[in-house]
């Protein structure tokens, strides 16, 4: 794993070259190529690169968000306006099953690990089959870009030694952006100390997950025996821990995050294959990761500018208007609507005793399913569905592809 020592101009040129090639190896020889185009910077970049390589054979797919204040779809239209001949399919809310539809069935019974699609199996399957129906066999996704291009705040600890002025400027910027004190930012950006020592303390003392990486997710509904078993596993891992992935905490944390999203991407790709699709995640290619992480962290991330490395690398490829976008769409409204619609199924799931012998709902003291739990429901559902489905199971028949 490289040191982050290159200045932005040099690093952006290398990043551009490797990302263009990462898209190319997935699209060469394909009659049609699809791209998930939300309108955000990551997906717009892939769409623009793809269009340069396949032209009118590109099919852009955009889900229109529920929140009228989310302007992602407008930015997606703006990006496609510069792609003469390319198709743009916008999926309105209600055309496909909502989030959590089919949750009671699960989607990971024939996989070797919990699937992120388990929380919304009907919606995900419909999306992939819709994409395959366009004639595309390859679907590009921007997943992994946030993990790659958004460095953790621990980068400030190293930046202070390399460029104190920019470190102070960034500290003030993050505090203003998040509405917290500079003291809070200093705490999050503090150097965590030796890796093995930090990991041991995390397991034994339950220290906040600030530093080398995020701490383990321990749902409050786990039973005492399960918690004890987890603690033993963590202690053993800490004792056996060697060196971090990189001596600089922010580089290590970035790689840990990329490994996590790569596992999710692999499982998603396995599921999509049953619909006749090959999912492509160019941002998680090793060469792309290496090129991005060679850029100085304080130059590839900034509280004053969205993903500087990506913006610099895509000059002349992505329309200037999209590169200079200052807004960021959110999708909580979509999830909140789905939570309300599928409240009975979610309440039943969270009220049942699973393999832990204790109900997730128990720890919430009978609270109803609501927006505040939107993240917990998805993370709880995937492993729960996977464990329940560990029995003989026949996967669905593959979707016939018109190109075969």
């Amino acid at each position: 794993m490289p040191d982050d020592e290159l200045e932005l101009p040099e690093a952006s040129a290398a990043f551009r070259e490797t990302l263009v090639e990462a898209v190319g190896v997935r699209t060469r020889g394909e009659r049609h190529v699809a791209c998930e185009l939300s309108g955000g910077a990551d997906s717009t970049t892939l769409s623009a690169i793809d269009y340069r390589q396949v032209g009118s054979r590109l099919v852009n797919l955009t889900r229109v968000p529920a929140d009228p204040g989310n302007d992602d779809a407008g930015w997606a239209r703006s990006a496609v306006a510069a792609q003469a001949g390319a198709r743009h399919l916008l999926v309105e809310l209600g055309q496909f099953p909502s989030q959590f539809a089919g949750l009671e069935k699960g989607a990971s019974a024939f996989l070797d690990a919990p699937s992120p699609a388990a929380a919304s199996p009907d919606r995900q399957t419909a999306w992939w089959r819709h994409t395959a129906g366009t004639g595309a066999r390859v679907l590009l996704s921007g997943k992994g870009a946030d993990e790659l291009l958004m460095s953790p705040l621990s980068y400030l600890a190293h930046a202070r030694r390399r460029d104190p002025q920019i470190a102070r400027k960034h500290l003030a910027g993050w505090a203003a952006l998040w509405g917290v004190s500079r003291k809070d930012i200093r705490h999050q950006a503090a150097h965590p100390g030796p890796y093995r020592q930090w990991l041991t303390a995390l397991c034994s003392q339950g220290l906040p997950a600030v530093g080398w990486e995020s701490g383990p997710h321990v749902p409050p509904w786990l039973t005492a025996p399960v918690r004890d078993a987890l603690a033993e596993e963590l202690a053993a891992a800490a004792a056996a821990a060697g060196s971090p992935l990189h001596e600089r905490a922010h580089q290590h944390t970035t790689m840990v995050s990329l490994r996590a999203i790569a596992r999710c991407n692999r499982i998603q790709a396995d599921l999509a294959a049953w619909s006749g699709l090959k999912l492509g995640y160019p941002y998680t290619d090793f060469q792309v990761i290496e090129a991005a992480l060679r850029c100085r962290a304080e130059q590839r991330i900034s509280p004053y500018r969205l993903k500087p490395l990506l913006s610099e690398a895509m000059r002349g490829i992505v329309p200037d208007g999209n590169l200079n976008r200052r807004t960021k769409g959110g999708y909580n409204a979509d999830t909140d609507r789905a939570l309300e619609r599928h409240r009975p199924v979610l309440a039943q799931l969270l009220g049942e005793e699973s393999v832990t012998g204790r109900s997730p709902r128990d720890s919430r003291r009978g609270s109803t399913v609501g927006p505040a739990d939107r993240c917990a429901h998805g993370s709880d559902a995937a492993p729960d569905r996977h464990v329940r489905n560990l029995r003989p199971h026949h996967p669905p028949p593959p979707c016939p592809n018109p190109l075969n």
Side-chain angles (χ1 to χ4, degrees):
M1 185 176 173
D3 294 335
D4 54 329
E5 294 293 346
L6 292 185
E7 299 280 356
L8 184 60
E10 184 179 358
S12 63
F15 180 66
R16 172 182 175 132
E17 180 181 349
T18 56
L19 186 58
V20 168
E21 178 60 17
V23 172
V25 297
R26 292 170 168 85
T27 60
R28 294 189 190 107
E30 295 292 333
R31 286 178 56 188
H32 300 282
V33 178
C35 182
E36 291 183 337
L37 176 61
S38 68
D42 311 325
S43 63
T44 300
T45 292
L46 296 185
S47 175
I49 295 174
D50 202 2
Y51 179 72
R52 282 196 160 202
Q53 298 179 352
V54 304
S56 61
R57 292 178 286 142
L58 172 62
V59 182
N60 293 292
L61 298 116
T62 301
R63 293 174 178 147
V64 178
D67 186 353
N70 185 337
D71 57 352
D72 272 4
W75 285 103
R77 293 187 184 96
S78 176
V80 179
Q83 301 174 357
R87 282 187 282 170
H88 189 200
L89 306 180
L90 289 100
V91 178
E92 298 287 343
L93 202 69
Q95 282 185 246
F96 282 176
S98 67
Q99 291 183 58
F100 309 117
L103 175 61
E104 67 280 2
K105 297 180 296 186
S108 57
F110 51 94
L111 297 174
D112 59 354
S115 163
S120 306
D122 288 357
R123 184 187 204 190
Q124 197 66 74
T125 300
W127 177 255
W128 289 330
R129 289 178 179 255
H130 176 69
T131 302
T134 68
R137 297 188 302 180
V138 173
L139 174 61
L140 299 182
S141 171
K143 290 180 180 177
D146 284 343
E147 289 77 5
L148 177 63
L149 300 169
M150 302 293 288
S151 178
L153 286 181
S154 53
Y155 82 89
L156 291 174
H158 190 76
R160 276 197 296 268
R161 298 193 294 271
R162 184 159 57 192
D163 192 335
Q165 184 176 359
I166 196 171
R168 287 192 297 270
K169 183 179 179 182
H170 278 208
L171 188 148
W174 290 120
L177 185 63
W178 293 342
V180 299
S181 69
R182 297 188 185 189
K183 181 179 179 181
D184 290 335
I185 298 298
R186 288 193 189 94
H187 171 70
Q188 295 185 51
H191 191 279
Y195 175 65
R196 187 169 179 176
Q197 179 179 324
W198 174 85
L199 186 58
T200 301
L202 179 67
C203 298
S204 62
Q205 302 173 25
L207 296 178
V210 176
W212 286 98
E213 56 193 75
S214 297
H217 172 60
V218 183
W221 42 265
L222 289 183
T223 60
V226 174
R227 286 174 175 269
D228 291 342
L230 178 59
E232 291 177 4
E233 290 291 330
L234 290 173
S243 302
L245 300 176
H246 195 282
E247 61 180 8
R248 298 173 186 174
H250 60 279
Q251 295 286 82
H252 169 90
T253 308
T254 299
M255 276 304 303
V256 169
S257 299
L258 285 165
R259 287 183 172 187
I261 193 66
R263 285 192 292 271
C264 292
N265 290 350
R266 177 186 62 81
I267 298 168
Q268 293 289 82
D270 288 346
L271 280 170
W274 289 99
S275 296
L277 281 179
K278 291 185 286 187
L279 298 191
Y281 303 98
Y283 289 106
T284 56
D285 275 15
F286 177 76
Q287 293 83 355
V288 175
I289 293 172
E290 189 173 54
L293 296 189
R294 288 187 184 280
C295 182
R296 292 188 174 194
E298 66 272 20
Q299 295 186 16
R300 71 172 182 258
I301 183 174
S302 171
Y304 304 99
R305 182 182 176 193
L306 180 63
K307 297 176 180 174
L309 176 62
L310 186 66
S311 297
E312 287 300 315
M314 290 300 111
R315 295 290 177 194
I317 295 181
V318 174
D320 288 342
N322 291 82
L323 282 180
N324 297 326
R325 180 184 175 184
R326 303 285 293 178
T327 58
K328 174 71 172 175
Y331 290 83
N332 287 346
D334 305 58
T335 304
D336 292 346
R337 285 191 181 187
L339 283 171
E340 184 63 31
R341 180 176 181 179
H342 297 281
R343 182 184 298 269
V345 173
L346 284 162
Q348 181 182 15
L349 173 65
L350 297 177
E352 291 176 350
E353 289 191 357
S354 61
V355 293
T356 62
R358 181 179 176 188
S359 163
R361 186 186 175 107
D362 289 345
S363 66
R364 295 170 187 155
R365 299 181 181 177
S367 63
T368 57
V369 176
D373 292 318
R374 64 171 68 92
C375 294
H377 297 325
S379 60
D380 288 350
D384 185 279
R385 292 295 86 188
H386 181 72
V387 172
R388 291 175 187 272
N389 289 328
L390 288 178
R391 59 179 180 268
H393 179 88
H394 299 287
C399 176
N401 193 299
L403 298 181
N404 290 335

